Structures are given as structure tokens and as C-alpha cells.
Amino acid sequence: GHGSSVTGLASLRGGKVVASCEAAGKLRVWEPKTDAEACYGLGDGGAGEQGGGQDVGCTCLAAHGDLVALGREDGSLATFDADAQRPLGLWRACQGQDQGSIQAMAAHSAGGLLAGGFSAGSASLLDLRSGRIVCSFDATRGGGAVRCLSFAGENLVCAGGRDSVRVYDRRKLSEATMAATSCKGGSPTGVYPAGRQVLVSWGPRLQVLDPTCSDAVEAAGRPFKLRNLGGAKESSNISGVSVLGLSHCVVVGNESSILFYSLS
């Protein structure tokens, strides 16, 4: 197991392999069925290493295929090949001046592209395998650190800041295509792609965004609390959302229960 707090978790190879990282800077790749496990230090280096070789705290994790990317407290990015069981390298993840630690990461569903959000509010798009920075942009527009990040569809990037979520087209990152806030205030705790829609969790509330809708009011639905089987509204903070395949059903987990919800 881990020796410090787990800060990131992702499944590989259809759930047969799990990658997890910890605050002390270690990555563990393990098979739940066999309990086979390998542990790596972020300072192990690799062919593309840039910067120091010591372990630095890990803040978040994203994965696609057999490639695992880890965000670090010093603003750098570590990449690992889980199939070859070797680190690929350490990379500087932002352009220009220091942008603080990486607070959120997401891998594009088609592979190849990675998004990393920083404590200073900027975000970078990078090549997942080489670590090359494709571009950087102001993700929260003065709204504090990037708290959550996700790709949606082919070209959309969603970034949550202190009190809003902004959706960008990665082909034109100079301005957001839409922005949403919670009518009750507070910070977004997660953004989750669901087909053409984007789900946003605001504490105990869930919001459904439709970036393809031309009507700004209809595009950003009103955040709402989910109801349990007894019809009562759930007041526990949402801790995670998962979309069931290509259906319109999502699974929502909070502090006390797991709920199934239909988007249709």
C-alpha cells in the first residue's frame, strides 16, 4: 500500500491494472486480481528527464492506454509506461514563468493529448508521450487555481476555478465558449464529460452543461440536488461521477451513498 495520502487513481487496460499516486511522490501500478504490484519514485528519471532527480510530492494523476502522467508540486510532469514498467521522463509543464503546482490533469479520450491545470490559474496542453507543450492559456481568468479539468468530445476543454467552470475550444483558447457558476455559490469539485454534455459537481449539487446549445440560458442548466430512493434530496458532497458507456445514465457517489441518474 501507500505510505502517505493517495492523491490520484486511474484504471488501465479495461480495469485490469490500476495506477495510484501519493503525496510523498510514489507511483504504484498494481493488478487487483493477482495483487502483483510495482512501485516507482518520481525521481527515477528516464530518457526525457528534465530537472531534479529527487522525489517531489504528487498532486494528481491521469492515464490513457499504458501511459500514466503525474502532476507534481513543483509544476513538473512525470510520465510512465506501465506496460514497459519504466519511467519516460520528467518535464516542465508550463511556458514562461512559474505557475505553481499542478492541481488537476486530464487525458484526451483519443490519446496523445494531456491537459494540466496549475495553482496560478493557467493550464497547458501537452503531448502525452513526449511531454512537449502544445500551448498554454489562462484557464480560470483570474478565478484562482484550476481545481478540476476535463476534455469533452473532440475539441472541448473544461476547467473549474474558484467559483466558475469555463469551457474552451482547444482550437481557439483565447476566450471561453461558455461559463457557468453555481447559483448557491461555492467552488466546482469536478467536471465530467457525458457525450455532448458536461456534468459539473458543486458540493452536493450536480449541473448539466450543453456547450453545443446556442442559447446561453438553456446551455447551463440550474444546479440541483439528487434524490435518493426515498425521494429525499441528498445533502452530502458529490465525490465522483461516472458515465455508463454510451448510455444516458450516470453513477454519482457522495459521502453516504451511490446514486444512479438518467440524463434523458
Side-chain angles (χ1 to χ4, degrees), residues 48-182:
E49 183 173 353
Q50 298 178 7
Q54 73 280 1
D55 283 348
V56 175
C58 183
T59 55
C60 51
L61 176 152
H64 185 275
D66 286 312
L67 297 181
V68 182
L70 303 102
R72 312 205 313 164
E73 289 180 347
D74 63 358
S76 64
L77 168 74
T79 54
F80 287 80
D81 187 324
D83 182 47
Q85 298 185 5
R86 68 180 183 88
L88 296 177
L90 302 180
W91 314 96
R92 177 177 170 80
C94 63
Q95 294 176 327
Q97 63 184 15
D98 178 40
Q99 294 296 311
S101 61
I102 299 180
Q103 295 291 299
M105 295 180 68
H108 196 284
S109 60
L113 195 62
L114 181 76
F118 296 87
S119 56
S122 67
S124 293
L125 301 184
L126 308 100
D127 183 276
L128 180 56
R129 180 169 289 277
S130 70
R132 178 181 63 86
I133 299 175
V134 177
C135 62
S136 296
F137 63 102
D138 183 0
T140 63
R141 303 291 168 175
V146 178
R147 297 172 181 265
C148 46
L149 199 60
S150 177
F151 287 100
E154 179 66 25
N155 295 307
L156 299 182
V157 184
C158 309
R162 180 176 54 241
D163 53 10
S164 66
V165 169
R166 297 177 184 275
V167 181
Y168 296 88
D169 188 318
R170 64 186 178 96
R171 297 167 297 185
K172 184 183 179 182
L173 293 168
S174 58
E175 58 182 323
T177 59
M178 71 172 297
T181 59
S182 171

Side-chain angles (χ1 to χ4, degrees), residues 15 89 145 171 249 255:
R171 297 167 297 185
C249 296
E255 298 168 359

Side-chain angles (χ1 to χ4, degrees), residues 27-58:
L27 166 70
R28 293 185 182 274
V29 180
W30 45 285
E31 298 180 3
K33 190 173 183 179
T34 64
D35 285 335
E37 180 181 14
C39 178
Y40 305 94
L42 297 186
D44 288 349
E49 183 173 353
Q50 298 178 7
Q54 73 280 1
D55 283 348
V56 175
C58 183

Side-chain angles (χ1 to χ4, degrees), residues 208-231:
V208 182
L209 308 181
D210 185 355
T212 65
C213 182
S214 58
D215 188 304
V217 176
E218 293 185 5
R222 186 181 180 87
F224 60 93
K225 287 186 176 181
L226 300 178
R227 295 181 181 273
N228 58 32
L229 290 177

